[in-house]
Amino acid sequence: MVLGTNSIVATAGEHLAGKGPLKLRYRPYTLNLKHAFNLASSSRTTTPVVLTELEYNGITGYGEASMPPYLGESHESVLKFLSRVDLSRFDDPFQMENILNYVDALEEGNKAAKASVDIALHDLVGKMMKQPWYRIWGYDASKTPVTSFTIGIDTPEVVRQKVKEAEPYKILKVKLGRDTDKQMIETIREVTDKPLCVDVNQGWKDRQFALDMAHWLKEKGVVFLEQPMPKEQLDDMAWVTERSPIPTIGDEAVQRLGDVLKAHKVYSGINIKLMKCTGMREAHEMLTLARALDMKVMIGCMTETSCAISAAAQLAPMTDWADLDGALLISNDVYKGTAVVDGKVILSSGPGIGVVKI
């Protein structure tokens, strides 16, 4: 059973004894990728992030904003937005709805920046309650799925190397969307017969081509197809979904809660990412709505530290698939939290989002 705000406050009990202002701190950081991250239309070796801390009566919650290029956010935009956030007006972290509504209303967009506050607030409140969020939401930690490991677009030699490095993982996520798509899959099939999922990042424009590829991919052991066509091509995408032999998942097309209903019957399911939807509060709402619509649910990530990954992982027990490898792709993580053991997402029993600094 999901606890409401009143139940949360009652459960917290003695932890609410003190009153004081919420103090927000933040700093820019750059993640270094182990390999170049090649997509249908871009390539990069770093990702800018902003790390946040929210302190109340000596307890600190951790948060993060990750800004891959397509989101349109940057160090500069996030720092500018956070400089406008005045949480000193709130003296009770359990006023989560009021706090997050205030942050969301400051400006349009800035979704990753808002997520950095949301995550830190959830971590803080969970620590005050001395419980992880998956327990507060009533989820069974043993029911987390395995996570996929991402294989970016690259030369056959590098692809084979990446597949070997991904040996512990039970399912591989393959980036497609260029004229080398079949070569990518065939190269991987030379070295492994593991199940695959593919992410086209809107790279296919023709619906008949997309459907033909869906049939070919099914024969190659692909279990679902993520964002094959541009998000604007709703009619074409619905046509593909109706005929596809494998489920279709909306990613770029499904950003926030209002997009879930629009995606119904256009896609088989949705990919929820905290950096798209402003954080854990809205991600939880999106999950609930998608389940009510009988849609498949995937919990995904950007290139992130273990902070944001651990926050997203709190939802993992209620999802069909997880793509939570973002921290595994970087060489300079600054937190320890959710782990991957033999390919399976293992939630920390620590309170809040379950992370500690390293």
Side-chain angles (χ1 to χ4, degrees):
M1 180 178 69
V2 176
L3 297 178
T5 302
N6 291 336
S7 298
I8 291 175
V9 172
T11 304
E14 70 276 11
H15 304 299
L16 287 178
K19 291 284 185 179
L22 284 162
K23 301 174 184 177
L24 178 65
R25 298 185 294 270
Y26 45 87
R27 66 182 178 95
Y29 190 64
T30 298
L31 303 182
N32 299 319
L33 280 72
K34 295 176 181 177
H35 293 285
F37 199 63
N38 301 319
L39 307 178
S41 60
S42 65
S43 177
R44 56 188 166 87
T45 57
T46 61
T47 297
V49 300
V50 171
L51 305 176
T52 56
E53 296 184 357
L54 191 55
E55 183 181 346
Y56 178 80
N57 286 351
I59 302 174
T60 300
Y62 300 121
E64 176 181 1
S66 173
M67 295 85 70
Y70 89 90
L71 283 180
E73 294 181 72
S74 64
H75 275 151
E76 292 72 23
S77 68
V78 172
L79 295 174
K80 181 180 178 182
F81 178 84
L82 293 177
S83 72
R84 295 192 57 205
V85 177
D86 178 16
L87 298 184
S88 64
R89 64 179 64 194
F90 299 101
D91 62 2
D92 181 358
F94 287 87
Q95 296 176 11
M96 297 180 75
E97 288 294 309
N98 289 341
I99 294 168
L100 295 176
N101 285 342
Y102 155 73
V103 172
D104 196 17
L106 278 175
E107 290 181 15
E108 290 291 324
N110 295 286
K111 291 174 285 190
K114 293 171 181 177
S116 73
V117 179
D118 170 284
I119 294 168
L121 181 61
H122 278 81
D123 192 33
L124 173 64
V125 170
K127 286 174 176 174
M128 293 175 69
M129 296 178 66
K130 301 184 178 180
Q131 296 292 337
W133 271 93
Y134 67 83
R135 291 196 64 193
I136 295 170
W137 281 329
Y139 298 161
D140 182 351
S142 70
K143 293 185 177 179
T144 56
V146 297
T147 181
S148 56
F149 186 87
T150 300
I151 308 295
I153 298 170
D154 222 310
T155 64
E157 181 181 0
V158 175
V159 167
R160 293 187 192 99
Q161 178 187 347
K162 290 179 179 179
V163 172
K164 290 178 182 177
E165 291 176 3
E167 179 59 33
Y169 302 93
K170 308 301 184 184
I171 182 170
L172 302 179
K173 180 174 180 176
V174 186
K175 294 291 187 178
L176 299 182
R178 296 185 183 176
D179 57 6
T180 57
D181 287 351
K182 288 191 174 183
Q183 180 189 60
M184 279 284 297
I185 299 298
E186 288 168 346
T187 298
I188 292 170
R189 282 295 175 239
E190 290 174 7
V191 291
T192 184
D193 60 358
K194 290 179 181 178
L196 307 177
C197 53
V198 301
D199 184 2
V200 188
N201 291 113
Q202 308 182 81
W204 300 339
K205 314 303 180 187
D206 179 78
R207 71 181 191 179
Q208 186 61 56
F209 176 81
L211 181 60
D212 291 345
M213 283 296 292
H215 281 281
W216 184 82
L217 291 167
K218 179 177 173 57
E219 294 175 1
K220 296 296 182 178
V222 172
V223 297
F224 68 81
L225 177 60
E226 186 177 349
Q227 201 63 60
M229 304 190 71
K231 61 183 181 180
E232 298 83 9
Q233 294 181 220
L234 294 178
D235 291 343
D236 288 337
M237 193 61 242
W239 183 90
V240 172
T241 295
E242 185 178 9
R243 294 162 176 79
S244 176
I246 54 178
T248 61
I249 306 298
D251 181 9
E252 286 89 344
V254 185
Q255 304 278 324
R256 299 197 60 174
L257 180 63
D259 297 320
V260 178
L261 193 57
K262 298 174 187 175
H264 187 226
K265 296 189 177 180
V266 175
Y267 300 90
S268 311
I270 63 171
N271 185 355
I272 300 172
K273 296 179 180 177
L274 302 191
M275 300 302 143
K276 295 189 303 182
C277 72
T278 74
M280 295 172 67
R281 175 184 68 158
E282 191 150 326
H284 184 248
E285 294 172 345
M286 292 174 72
L287 170 65
T288 302
L289 178 56
R291 285 305 188 201
L293 295 171
D294 198 28
M295 299 180 76
K296 297 288 188 182
V297 176
M298 176 181 181
I299 185 69
C301 65
M302 309 300 182
T303 310
E304 301 164 352
T305 74
S306 290
C307 177
I309 295 296
S310 298
Q314 303 300 310
L315 296 158
M318 292 296 289
T319 63
D320 298 286
W321 301 293
D323 180 34
L324 294 176
D325 65 343
L328 304 173
L329 304 177
I330 64 174
S331 60
N332 57 337
D333 201 350
V334 289
Y335 297 97
K336 181 179 179 180
T338 293
V340 177
V341 178
D342 198 25
K344 182 178 172 64
V345 176
I346 305 298
L347 294 169
S348 167
S349 60
I353 61 173
V355 297
V356 294
K357 284 185 174 181
I358 56 175

